[in-house]
Amino acid sequence: MIANEDLVVHTTNDYYCSGRRATVNGNFCERKPLKMVSAGSCYLPKDNPSKPRGEDAHFLWLKKNTMGVADGVGGWAKKGIDAGEYARELMRNSLTAVLNEPQGAVDPKRVLNSAFLNTKERGSSTACILTLRDDNHLHCANVGDSGFMVFRDKKLVYKSEAQQRGFNFPFQLGNSEGSDKPSCAKEIKVAVKAGDIVVVGTDGLFDNMYESEIEELLQKGKASSTEDLAILIAEYALYNSFDRFALSPFAKASRKAGFQHKGGKIDDITVLVGIIS
């Protein structure tokens, strides 16, 4: 007879773990590794003729169950620097680093560190590297206000927290003095189940959409693929970003910090979606 035993749910500054395990006569059963069977993405750069590629970057590698996003910090434009170039090189180098990682045991922080050391462009960016490992947990290394969410049965079960020094001032990787290093990355571990949906995004998503709005989109079931779902979520966030009067997540955070921003936040928007099975 197989009995289910609840694992202890615990959170620290670095980890979130939850899940269940099966026992047979006191011995743990070996579970088959879950996989990310489908993944899709959508990138909507904001309208800026001087930077048509925007400042976000991302990669997806389904075979390694790994994805990542980066968001170049727009403040560099005042110095004539396109931080999107830094973000794009960082993600290219991240993908190269994943090539050298063992199947089923990709280490996101090691990937991020390797990418960081090989990125030479000027500027800085946030970064979020996420992988599904053979232990049936999502492992993530996150720097700044990009992040991810996990939905189960069309309901949010986990959302990562942003790393910020102040309102709209995220931690950021870069080569200049004062920039952060991969050692500051927040490491996260989340147990997942078959059927879970993972949504990864830059702050263009999180500043313009509440998780309840994504739940509503999932419940309507209009998307026929992960790419369609990524597009649907990104377009919803884009619509919200142009609303000048809505109490968006960004507007709500600004009020909490003592500012008076109204409506959405016009920004580059990147959304990655993966389904676990």
Side-chain angles (χ1 to χ4, degrees):
M1 182 176 181
I2 299 178
N4 285 320
E5 175 184 335
D6 287 329
L7 287 177
V8 174
V9 178
H10 66 276
T11 59
T12 68
N13 289 333
D14 298 321
Y15 291 95
Y16 169 94
C17 302
S18 67
R20 301 177 73 85
R21 58 187 173 187
T23 60
V24 178
N25 297 325
N27 296 317
F28 295 122
C29 301
E30 184 176 347
R31 295 177 297 181
K32 290 184 178 179
L34 296 170
K35 293 183 179 180
M36 204 170 290
V37 295
S38 178
S41 67
C42 181
Y43 175 37
L44 302 176
K46 63 184 177 184
D47 187 15
N48 186 343
S50 66
K51 288 188 286 188
R53 299 174 71 185
E55 294 168 329
D56 282 6
H58 71 275
F59 75 89
L60 286 169
W61 192 1
L62 198 56
K63 185 177 179 180
K64 287 285 182 86
N65 297 311
T66 303
M67 57 181 71
V69 296
D71 178 5
V73 177
W76 285 97
K78 297 176 183 178
K79 298 183 178 181
I81 296 170
D82 180 3
E85 292 296 333
Y86 182 91
R88 286 186 282 274
E89 187 181 5
L90 185 70
M91 289 295 96
R92 285 194 299 269
N93 290 334
S94 295
L95 183 57
T96 299
V98 173
L99 281 167
N100 299 316
E101 288 291 305
Q103 185 69 32
V106 174
D107 184 331
K109 193 167 185 178
R110 186 165 58 212
V111 168
L112 191 58
N113 188 64
S114 175
F116 172 80
L117 292 174
N118 287 289
T119 299
K120 307 304 179 184
E121 287 283 352
R122 298 177 68 191
S124 62
S125 80
T126 67
C128 180
I129 307 292
L130 181 77
T131 190
L132 174 61
R133 295 179 60 164
D134 285 351
D135 62 0
N136 292 345
H137 285 70
L138 291 172
H139 292 252
C140 173
N142 190 48
V143 177
D145 54 8
S146 294
F148 71 101
M149 294 175 281
V150 179
F151 295 86
R152 183 171 300 151
D153 299 324
K154 302 175 183 178
K155 292 290 185 179
L156 181 77
V157 294
Y158 179 77
K159 181 180 179 181
S160 61
E161 293 184 5
Q163 278 186 314
Q164 298 189 100
R165 290 190 167 83
F167 173 67
N168 206 28
F169 184 19
F171 283 45
Q172 53 200 263
L173 299 175
N175 298 316
S176 64
E177 185 178 351
S179 294
D180 296 300
K181 310 301 180 186
S183 58
C184 79
K186 185 173 184 179
E187 294 184 84
I188 306 166
K189 182 179 177 183
V190 182
V192 289
K193 296 181 179 180
D196 286 357
I197 297 175
V198 182
V199 177
V200 182
T202 54
D203 66 335
L205 168 64
F206 297 105
D207 284 340
N208 289 300
M209 277 191 83
Y210 292 100
E211 50 268 23
S212 59
E213 294 175 299
I214 299 178
E215 289 176 340
E216 185 177 348
L217 291 179
L218 294 175
Q219 289 159 13
K220 289 181 178 179
K222 291 185 177 181
S224 58
S225 68
T226 49
E227 184 173 355
D228 286 344
L229 182 55
I231 293 170
L232 188 63
I233 294 172
E235 288 182 340
Y236 200 111
L238 179 65
Y239 177 83
N240 287 352
S241 73
F242 292 129
D243 190 329
R244 295 181 297 162
F245 304 103
L247 182 59
S248 66
F250 186 77
K252 191 173 181 179
S254 77
R255 292 186 183 183
K256 188 176 180 180
F259 300 96
Q260 294 299 320
H261 179 89
K262 293 182 179 180
K265 179 190 177 187
I266 297 175
D267 200 355
D268 302 317
I269 298 169
T270 298
V271 179
L272 314 181
V273 175
I275 295 180
I276 295 169
S277 185

